[in-house]
Amino acid sequence: GAVVSQHPSRVICKSGTSVKIECRSLDFQATTMFWYRQFPKQSLMLMATSNEGSKATYEQGVEKDKFLINHASLTLSTLTVTSAHPEDSSFYICSVGDRGYSTNEKLFFGSGTQLSVL
Amino acid sequence: AQKVTQAQTEISVVEKEDVTLDCVYETRDTTYYLFWYKQPPSGELVFLIRRNSFDEQNEISGRYSWNFQKSTSSFNFTITASQVVDSAVYFCALSGVSGTYKYIFGTGTRLKVLA
C-alpha cells in the first residue's frame, strides 16, 4: 500500500503570510493527489485534485488563487495557503489513490497538517 | 445528490463491549463504493474496508465486521470486544462512478472506549 508523507504536521503563522504544505507519495508515482480540509469535529471536504503536469481541479467554492496547488513531480504535490487569515485555520490532509490514479480504490492519507493562523 | 449520514456523533463504551457504528447513504448511482476509515488522535486516516454496491456479502476481519444492506442503504460497522486502542473517529464514505475520485464523507462518529 501507499505511504503518504505530509509536512509539516503543525504550523502556526501570522495573518497575511503564506504557508506551504507538502505531500509526498513514497511508494509509487502518483499522477493524481487529493487535498482535503477538515474543520474541528467535522467531516473531510475535498478541496481540489492535484494533477501532475497540469492545473489542479478545484471543487466548487474553493478559491484557486487562495489555495495554490502545484504537482511538481509524480511524487510531490504542494498546497500553498496564500495570505492566510484566521478563517483558514483548519486541518489539511492530502491523499493518494491506490495505484496512483483516481479510481474507486482506497485512498491513502497523509498524517495531516494543522494550520493555525493568528 | 450523494450523501452520507452518520447519526451518532459520539459513542462511549466500556472495554470489551460490542459497539455498532451506523452509516446511511444516498446515491443515484447504480454502481458505487462504500468505505470505512479510522482517524486516531494522530490525525492520519486509516483505511478499513471498501465494498462495492454489487457485493452485499457481510465481511468479518478479526474483531471488525460490516453489514451492508442495499435495501436500507446502510453500511454499518461493528467492533466486537472493543479495546481502548479502538478509540478514534470513524468515517464512512461513499464514492460513485460519476465522480470516481470524489469521496463523500460522513461527519464521523467519535468512539471512546473506556478501560
Side-chain angles (χ1 to χ4, degrees), chain B residues 51-69:
Chain B
R51 171 70 70 223
N52 73 56
S53 53
F54 296 108
D55 183 3
E56 287 194 71
Q57 219 173 10
N58 291 328
E59 182 161 337
I60 298 175
S61 176
R63 295 185 297 107
Y64 296 168
S65 62
W66 290 269
N67 185 336
F68 176 30
Q69 292 195 352

Side-chain angles (χ1 to χ4, degrees), chain B residues 16-111:
Chain B
K16 297 184 182 178
E17 285 185 0
D18 299 346
V19 58
T20 296
L21 309 181
D22 298 333
C23 174
V24 176
Y25 63 92
E26 295 176 29
T27 181
R28 293 180 181 175
D29 292 332
T30 53
T31 301
Y32 52 89
Y33 298 81
L34 295 163
F35 304 81
W36 275 95
Y37 282 85
K38 174 183 180 180
Q39 186 178 39
S42 59
E44 178 181 351
L45 274 82
V46 178
F47 168 83
L48 296 178
I49 191 171
R50 168 183 177 267
R51 171 70 70 223
N52 73 56
S53 53
F54 296 108
D55 183 3
E56 287 194 71
Q57 219 173 10
N58 291 328
E59 182 161 337
I60 298 175
S61 176
R63 295 185 297 107
Y64 296 168
S65 62
W66 290 269
N67 185 336
F68 176 30
Q69 292 195 352
K70 284 181 77 170
S71 60
T72 56
S73 298
S74 64
F75 187 43
N76 296 337
F77 173 33
T78 297
I79 301 176
T80 304
S82 60
Q83 300 176 2
V84 173
V85 294
D86 295 328
S87 297
V89 180
Y90 291 85
F91 288 97
C92 180
L94 166 70
S95 177
V97 175
S98 57
T100 55
Y101 59 84
K102 191 168 183 176
Y103 282 44
I104 306 299
F105 283 87
T107 50
T109 297
R110 181 176 299 275
L111 174 65

Side-chain angles (χ1 to χ4, degrees), chain A residues 76-114:
Chain A
L76 174 64
S77 175
T78 61
L79 168 67
T80 300
V81 183
T82 61
S83 187
H85 287 93
E87 57 265 30
D88 298 323
S89 298
S90 186
F91 188 67
Y92 294 87
I93 189 165
C94 69
S95 67
V96 176
D98 196 9
R99 296 181 296 190
Y101 53 89
S102 57
T103 71
N104 296 103
E105 299 295 327
K106 56 183 176 283
L107 291 178
F108 294 96
F109 287 85
S111 53
T113 298
Q114 182 63 54

Side-chain angles (χ1 to χ4, degrees), chain A residues 45-96:
Chain A
M45 300 298 296
L46 179 65
M47 297 176 65
T49 301
S50 174
N51 305 300
E52 192 273 338
S54 64
K55 293 181 179 179
T57 304
Y58 289 83
E59 295 300 304
Q60 190 173 11
V62 178
E63 300 176 59
K64 56 184 177 182
D65 294 331
K66 173 75 170 176
F67 300 99
L68 299 179
I69 291 173
N70 183 2
H71 202 130
S73 72
L74 288 171
T75 59
L76 174 64
S77 175
T78 61
L79 168 67
T80 300
V81 183
T82 61
S83 187
H85 287 93
E87 57 265 30
D88 298 323
S89 298
S90 186
F91 188 67
Y92 294 87
I93 189 165
C94 69
S95 67
V96 176

Side-chain angles (χ1 to χ4, degrees), chain A residues 6-12 19-22 92 111-114:
Chain A
Q6 185 173 343
H7 295 280
S9 58
R10 182 178 294 273
V11 59
I12 301 173
V19 174
K20 180 185 284 188
I21 303 170
E22 292 189 350
Y92 294 87
S111 53
T113 298
Q114 182 63 54

